[in-house]
Amino acid sequence: MKLAVVGGGSTYTPELIDGFARLRETLPIEELVLVDPAEDRLRLVGGLARRIFARQGHSGIVTTTSDLDAGVAGADAVLLQLRVGGQAARAQDETWPLECGCVGQETTGAGGLAKALRTVPVVLDIAERVRRAAPDAWIIDFTNPVGIVTRALLQAGHKAVGLCNVAIGFQRKFASFLGVTPEQVHLDHVGLNHLTWERGVRIGGPEGEDVLPKLLAAHGDAIAGDLHLPRTLLDRLGVVPSYYLRYFYAHDEVVRELREKPSRAAEVAAIEAELLEMYGDETLDEKPELLSRRGGAYYSEAAVALASSLLRDTGDVQVVNTLNNGTLPFLPDDAVIEVPATVDASGTHPLPVAPLDPLYSGLIANVTAYEDLALTAAVHGGRDRVFKALLSHPLIGQHEYADALTDRLIAHNREHLAWI
């Protein structure tokens, strides 16, 4: 089995490598290719990857290349983890929206649109090259904004599934609170990427006992603290929203906080510099603890499980980003939703979803409409398309804000927008 990781020079990659090494019986990789144009980073990450494999007794071969076509040739699966423009572009995404009083974040609001505009054309080009070099390969997308990127891939006819670590993070957290194994926890997880709610937590499977009320009663303070939301809100809703719902439920508070502290991009850039120095230490043969501060917790477990299900036809249930196809009847079939699905060699098959309260379905429908307009802007370009996408976003919505944000977005991203 051959896997390729596009963006293999990312500081995230040792987290992925550690999972591949630990879970080698679940996903028996014979060849792992790390692909990245940044050869210096690739050399450091590739060296550590080989040492991690050796330490854990993995017999697979790790190779590195900056040649995309050669790297993905004959692959069974290709994982995408890109950041077009790097942390410098992310820092801009987190900064200029604040000038208009709007949240600055890399996947939500105006910053999220900027990332989509930079990313979608690059990912579609990569996917076309994968289709030529490895026509049977599955593309597993971890590149943000996952929902929009996955929708772009699927609309272009690629064999693609989107992946996020929010659900597996909740699964692990809830399992620790309940004193059970993660495999026993089934989430009633529903929504869009970075716009999801846990409506139920069942033990033993989709038909098991829903322990969410007990979980909130016993551990509501800790859960609310992790989300930076009031415990009273969780009690009133009776659900657990993803962390990203804070940008909607406490928008103005978040804007005030972001204006008063350094950006997350600055923090991550400092962590990355330290990590890369550590990766260059030839005695290091395990992922460093510092990597946990980089983000992406449990990414490796989620990636291994998804790749295994697709390539080994296991039929496991996993939370994925996939086509709606009637699962949420108030959305178009080609919308990409994030829900539990059975995953096998033929793809993803969403499980039935109970009707949603309008409090959730209304916001999901609004953001889906925005994502549709965002994808159109990313594929076809044009100032008016960017403006319409921003105007449609529930965190923006006012024409003066949308106009000002459009100007700022274009000004900060000219080098990445082919239509300028």
Side-chain angles (χ1 to χ4, degrees):
M1 182 183 298
K2 175 181 177 179
L3 265 67
V5 179
V6 179
S10 168
T11 54
Y12 269 132
T13 300
E15 165 70 28
L16 189 62
I17 299 300
D18 177 73
F20 288 158
R22 287 186 292 102
L23 303 171
R24 54 189 176 274
E25 293 185 4
T26 301
L27 188 67
I29 299 170
E30 297 169 298
E31 181 181 2
L32 176 66
V33 184
L34 306 182
V35 183
D36 203 294
E39 295 185 359
D40 288 348
R41 292 170 65 110
L42 197 59
R43 175 179 54 80
L44 296 175
V45 174
L48 176 56
R50 295 185 189 96
R51 295 193 297 272
I52 291 174
F53 265 30
R55 175 186 174 128
Q56 299 200 30
H58 196 298
S59 61
I61 298 171
V62 178
T63 61
T64 62
T65 182
S66 57
D67 184 333
L68 174 68
D69 300 300
V72 302
D76 297 288
V78 177
L79 280 66
L80 305 182
Q81 51 175 32
L82 313 177
R83 185 177 294 281
V84 179
Q87 294 299 329
R90 176 180 181 172
Q92 293 178 352
D93 294 345
E94 294 178 349
T95 303
W96 53 263
L98 297 173
E99 298 170 5
C100 297
C102 295
V103 68
Q105 210 277 330
E106 64 163 338
T107 64
T108 299
L113 177 61
K115 193 172 197 302
L117 295 179
R118 294 193 302 269
T119 304
V120 166
V122 174
V123 167
L124 289 178
D125 176 68
I126 291 170
E128 286 298 330
R129 293 164 71 176
V130 169
R131 179 146 50 192
R132 293 194 295 268
D136 295 325
W138 280 99
I139 296 176
I140 298 174
D141 178 62
F142 195 67
T143 297
N144 282 319
V146 167
I148 295 173
V149 172
T150 303
R151 191 171 184 179
L153 288 166
L154 291 171
Q155 285 188 358
H158 297 289
K159 291 175 58 178
V161 183
L163 181 65
C164 181
N165 67 328
V166 168
I168 195 171
F170 275 133
Q171 182 196 47
R172 275 14 184 209
K173 176 70 72 174
F174 295 163
S176 67
F177 285 148
L178 296 166
V180 299
T181 64
E183 292 73 23
Q184 292 176 276
V185 176
H186 180 88
L187 301 176
D188 180 2
H189 177 103
V190 64
L192 311 176
N193 180 243
H194 290 183
L195 193 86
T196 52
W197 297 263
E198 310 305 328
R199 296 189 300 169
V201 179
R202 300 183 182 277
I203 304 301
E207 306 303 322
E209 177 191 3
D210 182 9
V211 298
L212 180 56
K214 298 177 183 177
L215 191 63
L216 284 173
H219 303 284
D221 287 342
I223 295 170
D226 287 343
L227 301 175
H228 298 279
L229 287 170
R231 162 72 183 272
T232 53
L233 177 62
L234 271 60
D235 290 338
R236 292 172 71 183
L237 296 178
V239 303
V240 178
S242 80
Y243 176 86
Y244 293 88
L245 264 298
R246 186 169 186 256
Y247 299 117
F248 295 81
Y249 293 162
H251 177 272
D252 293 352
E253 178 184 351
V254 172
V255 168
R256 287 193 296 272
E257 291 175 359
L258 293 175
R259 283 173 164 170
E260 294 172 357
K261 66 180 183 180
S263 69
R264 171 64 176 162
E267 179 184 355
V268 169
I271 293 172
E272 284 198 336
E274 189 173 350
L275 283 171
L276 288 171
E277 184 174 352
M278 296 173 73
Y279 295 171
D281 179 357
E282 295 189 359
T283 66
L284 182 68
D285 57 4
E286 60 184 346
K287 66 175 183 179
E289 177 60 31
L290 178 63
L291 187 55
S292 65
R293 291 170 49 199
R294 174 64 181 82
Y298 307 115
Y299 164 35
S300 60
E301 282 86 347
V304 167
L306 179 56
S308 177
S309 294
L310 292 169
L311 300 179
R312 305 183 76 188
D313 198 27
T314 62
D316 296 335
V317 174
Q318 296 166 43
V319 173
V320 295
N321 283 261
T322 189
L323 287 175
N324 179 45
N325 281 339
T327 305
L328 301 181
F330 55 89
L331 296 183
D333 285 347
D334 67 346
V336 165
I337 60 175
E338 187 172 290
V339 293
T342 301
V343 184
D344 56 28
S346 66
T348 57
H349 315 281
L351 301 182
V353 173
L356 274 76
D357 186 291
L359 179 62
Y360 313 119
S361 62
L363 185 54
I364 290 171
N366 191 337
V367 175
T368 297
Y370 152 75
E371 290 190 346
D372 184 47
L373 292 167
L375 180 54
T376 299
V379 172
H380 299 291
R383 187 188 188 283
D384 283 349
R385 294 188 178 97
V386 174
F387 169 78
K388 289 176 181 178
L390 290 168
L391 187 64
S392 73
H393 199 291
L395 295 183
I396 301 167
Q398 299 183 55
H399 71 90
E400 290 184 353
Y401 287 172
D403 254 330
L405 289 167
T406 299
D407 291 338
R408 285 166 169 78
L409 186 156
I410 292 172
H412 285 284
N413 290 276
R414 286 185 177 278
E415 65 181 295
H416 300 292
L417 304 177
W419 46 271
I420 296 296

